[in-house]
Amino acid sequence: MSLSRILPAGKNARFVIIPLRSAHQVAEAGAASQVDLRPEELDNPSFFQKISLRFQGIPLKGELHAPKSIFSDCGKEWFAPKPLPEMPKDYKEHPDRDLVNYPYPARPMYPPKTRLLMMPDSWFQPFMKVTGVSGPYLFFGGLFAFLVNKELWVYEEQGHMTVGWILFYLLISRTVGFRIDNWLYGEYQKRMEYFKGLIAEDLKDAVEFRKTSAAETESLKLVKENFPVIMKENMQLQLEAQYR
């Protein structure tokens, strides 16, 4: 159908063109204007940008505190804020006690150094002095291969699950090991404070008992010292009453 039948084509006829833009085009234009902005600076970041910022621990625009990411503690090594208490230097022990050859056992703060997750480092040091760094690894590796080859060390049917347990240990220790150690240390401190409170209560009762005993002893001492004087005064009062 021709437009001439709808609109008059006279000399005074005017055509008005109204530009129309869809919402999709507006969004694209707004996104194009924010290309140079980082995701955390956007007013309305996309869903995947929010997830990325959450994993990175970066706060969104308008947030005052950074979010706590579940991966923020991965790979961290836990260290105690203060060492364990030691035996006081001025503690007086019996003179027969040999503290030079038999000192007080000190509780270590951290476990001894290990290699290959479970082998003590003290086993490697004698080999390293003679064979170098690779010597102990070759020795223990060859010993393991010899025992397995000669069937002196026989694997059970579920022996292959050891590899899974090792991987599970590595996963837990590298992801939430820091939080577990921190929580265990906090619980240990609470337990120690509880026992210290019990000891303080016992010592408080003991101190009160010693004070009471000292007061009773002092009073008995004064009674013994003044008892003859009291008896003499009583006799004088009785004699005076008798003569009156």
Side-chain angles (χ1 to χ4, degrees):
M1 184 174 62
S2 177
L3 293 177
S4 60
R5 297 183 181 183
I6 300 176
L7 298 176
K11 295 182 179 180
N12 297 327
R14 296 181 180 179
F15 295 94
V16 179
I17 299 176
I18 302 175
L20 298 177
R21 301 178 64 185
S22 62
H24 178 69
Q25 294 175 344
V26 174
E28 289 183 350
S33 63
Q34 296 181 350
V35 171
D36 298 335
L37 296 178
R38 293 182 296 178
E40 59 269 21
E41 297 177 355
L42 297 177
D43 294 331
N44 295 316
S46 64
F47 175 74
F48 294 101
Q49 288 177 339
K50 289 182 180 180
I51 293 178
S52 177
L53 294 176
R54 283 291 182 262
F55 275 99
Q56 297 176 14
I58 300 176
L60 299 176
K61 187 176 181 180
E63 293 182 347
L64 300 178
H65 303 284
K68 184 66 174 178
S69 175
I70 60 176
F71 299 103
S72 59
D73 296 332
C74 290
K76 287 186 178 180
E77 292 291 339
W78 182 83
F79 297 97
K82 56 182 179 180
L84 293 174
E86 298 180 356
M87 182 64 66
K89 301 296 183 181
D90 56 348
Y91 181 76
K92 295 182 180 180
E93 185 57 89
H94 194 272
D96 294 340
R97 174 69 185 269
D98 187 5
L99 296 177
V100 177
N101 298 322
Y102 302 96
Y104 290 104
R107 182 178 181 181
M109 175 63 74
Y110 305 102
K113 183 180 179 180
T114 58
R115 301 194 181 191
L116 301 177
L117 301 178
M118 58 182 179
M119 303 185 70
D121 183 68
S122 59
W123 295 4
F124 288 71
Q125 295 301 326
F127 291 93
M128 292 179 62
K129 295 179 181 179
V130 180
T131 61
V133 178
S134 60
Y137 294 98
L138 293 175
F139 172 76
F140 289 112
L143 179 62
F144 173 76
F146 173 78
L147 294 177
V148 174
N149 185 25
K150 300 303 180 181
E151 295 186 357
L152 299 176
W153 185 357
V154 181
Y155 274 102
E156 296 184 359
E157 296 179 357
Q158 305 297 330
H160 63 279
M161 295 183 63
T162 307
V163 179
W165 282 110
I166 293 175
L167 295 177
F168 179 73
Y169 165 76
L170 291 175
L171 178 64
I172 295 299
S173 61
R174 294 298 183 271
T175 53
V176 295
F178 178 81
R179 297 184 182 182
I180 293 176
D181 292 339
N182 194 18
W183 178 78
L184 290 176
Y185 181 78
E187 294 297 323
Y188 169 78
Q189 291 295 332
K190 292 179 182 178
R191 194 67 176 171
M192 290 297 103
E193 292 297 332
Y194 171 74
F195 286 116
K196 288 180 181 179
L198 294 180
I199 295 173
E201 290 293 332
D202 294 340
L203 292 178
K204 182 179 179 181
D205 296 339
V207 170
E208 293 294 334
F209 177 76
R210 292 185 63 179
K211 290 181 179 180
T212 306
S213 300
E216 293 178 354
T217 303
E218 187 67 22
S219 62
L220 290 175
K221 182 179 179 181
L222 293 176
V223 169
K224 290 181 180 180
E225 291 178 355
N226 298 324
F227 188 76
V229 179
I230 295 173
M231 290 293 296
K232 184 177 180 180
E233 291 179 354
N234 289 336
M235 292 295 296
Q236 291 177 356
L237 291 174
Q238 292 178 6
L239 290 174
E240 184 179 356
Q242 185 69 26
Y243 284 111
R244 287 184 179 180

